Amino acid sequence: MQCYENIQDLRDHLSQIKAQNQTLGFVPTMGALHAGHLSLVRKAQTEVDQVIVSIFVNPAQFNNRSDLELYPRDLDSDLKLLEETGVDCVFTPTSELMYLQGHESWVSLENLPVPFEGAGRPGHFRGVSTVVSMLFNIVQPDLAVFGEKDFQQLRIIERMVEDLKFPVRIVRGELIRDEDGLALSSRNQRLSAEARQSALAISRGLFSARNLFTRGSRQASELLGVYLSEIESEPDLTLHYAALVDEQDLAEIQVVKENRPARILTAVEVAGVRLLDNIAMQAA
Ligand code: AMP
């Protein structure tokens, strides 16, 4: 496994791969890797010859300094996991190389970043779309895999690639959960055993909503109702948002219509840790 910190060294390596007509898949991450990230790597491996993973805790997408400082980092363990998974190349740039002194170019979308994560975290998605654009320009992959775990982010990247004609195919990776149902997240490391137990109400509530959907319910009031009653039953949880949305434009909907994929998106805070989750409204 080749590791690069320097952009030019990485470009030299990747141009050799291109010269051999090998296809390249890319999985951008912020490290503290878990089975969710590795599932994206495996997905890429089924489609391309070589897989590159980036590990970069992007300061521009943190609107809160302490969140950036508390973000878990464990490069040694990450590299070991990637090596074991058969990744070909890892890119670990520094902030100074990514954001040059005097940096003033940003990529931002009009509407998709406004609600949900964008409303609670000003500038967050501008940071995401900018760093992903930079990474695409550096790596120039044939495809890139993003997880459905961050569904709003995924839609933003898909829209950006379409609008700005990036020559890359975006592939969706399914949301991976722990055995107890909690969506895997690097932030779960910050949960005490007690907080984690309370957090299980999130996936429990989402599964209840999906079961209700499977039994025929299509109304936001009913589907969100069962979810919210689980959240309200746990005094340690603070709801940031829960919404039933159209998967395409993320507009809130009152009723799920035939042939219009819909999803519940939610963010909940547990003991100072903000957790995201979502579930597709499709028959279980
Ligand atoms: P992050 O390191 O949190 O920025 O995530 C890097 C990529 O991994 C993003 O595309 C995330 O959506 C994806 N990801 C994070 N957690 C999961 C999960 N539990 N299941 C699937 N993909 C995930």
Side-chain angles (χ1 to χ4, degrees), residues 1-276:
M1 188 171 76
Q2 306 283 330
C3 298
Y4 296 97
E5 210 181 271
N6 181 288
I7 296 173
Q8 194 52 50
D9 293 346
L10 175 76
R11 282 193 159 134
D12 292 345
H13 173 72
L14 295 177
S15 60
Q16 284 173 28
I17 291 175
K18 292 268 161 68
Q20 294 160 8
N21 274 333
Q22 301 231 11
T23 51
L24 187 62
F26 178 40
V27 180
T29 80
M30 296 205 300
L33 301 179
H34 51 64
H37 297 111
L38 301 180
S39 77
L40 306 184
V41 169
R42 291 200 187 90
K43 180 136 204 153
Q45 285 169 330
T46 64
E47 303 222 19
V48 292
D49 300 316
Q50 299 245 346
V51 174
I52 170 167
V53 172
S54 63
I55 298 175
F56 178 57
V57 182
N58 175 30
Q61 71 188 70
F62 287 81
N63 54 305
N64 175 329
R65 209 184 164 78
S66 81
D67 195 26
L68 173 62
E69 279 160 12
L70 288 173
Y71 199 84
R73 292 166 174 85
D74 191 348
L75 188 59
D76 290 345
S77 148
D78 289 348
L79 294 178
K80 191 160 167 277
L81 287 171
L82 294 176
E83 178 113 56
E84 284 166 6
T85 315
V87 164
D88 303 284
C89 180
V90 183
F91 179 44
T92 57
T94 59
S95 299
E96 292 71 27
L97 282 176
M98 293 296 278
Y99 295 95
L100 303 177
Q101 190 123 41
H103 177 98
E104 56 172 309
S105 308
W106 298 95
V107 177
S108 58
L109 285 75
E110 291 280 324
N111 298 314
L112 282 171
V114 174
F116 312 124
E117 287 307 289
R121 305 172 69 186
H124 167 66
F125 283 123
R126 185 177 86 140
V128 171
S129 40
T130 300
V131 82
V132 170
S133 301
M134 289 191 212
L135 290 168
F136 283 173
N137 283 333
I138 295 168
V139 175
Q140 302 191 13
D142 298 289
L143 71 80
V145 191
F146 287 82
E148 289 182 341
K149 160 77 177 13
D150 301 279
F151 196 80
Q152 188 177 10
Q153 167 176 286
L154 170 67
R155 283 297 303 129
I156 286 171
I157 301 301
E158 287 175 340
R159 187 76 246 177
M160 177 186 87
V161 161
E162 248 184 302
D163 288 346
L164 301 183
K165 330 295 181 210
F166 279 96
V168 53
R169 179 159 67 90
I170 303 301
V171 172
R172 295 179 173 195
E174 69 169 301
L175 190 162
I176 305 295
R177 299 179 180 279
D178 234 326
E179 275 173 20
D180 57 11
L182 190 68
L184 289 179
S185 163
S186 307
R187 289 194 160 89
N188 294 353
Q189 292 183 20
R190 288 168 51 198
L191 294 174
S192 66
E194 206 183 354
R196 191 189 161 97
Q197 200 53 39
S198 306
L200 293 182
I202 305 168
S203 50
R204 225 172 28 240
L206 291 177
F207 294 148
S208 300
R210 194 197 39 203
N211 290 342
L212 198 60
F213 178 87
T214 303
R215 295 203 301 274
S217 172
R218 296 293 180 269
Q219 301 291 327
S221 56
E222 293 170 7
L223 297 166
L224 289 173
V226 287
Y227 171 67
L228 292 174
S229 67
E230 281 287 355
I231 299 299
E232 281 155 16
S233 73
E234 278 293 342
D236 297 345
L237 303 187
T238 307
L239 181 76
H240 283 202
Y241 60 81
L244 178 69
V245 301
D246 182 284
E247 282 198 1
Q248 188 65 22
D249 59 8
L250 304 186
E252 288 197 53
I253 54 176
Q254 295 309 315
V255 184
V256 181
K257 299 221 175 80
E258 204 66 32
N259 301 322
R260 290 293 301 208
R263 203 170 268 261
I264 292 179
L265 306 183
T266 190
V268 173
E269 193 176 315
V270 192
V273 184
R274 201 160 174 284
L275 299 175
L276 298 193

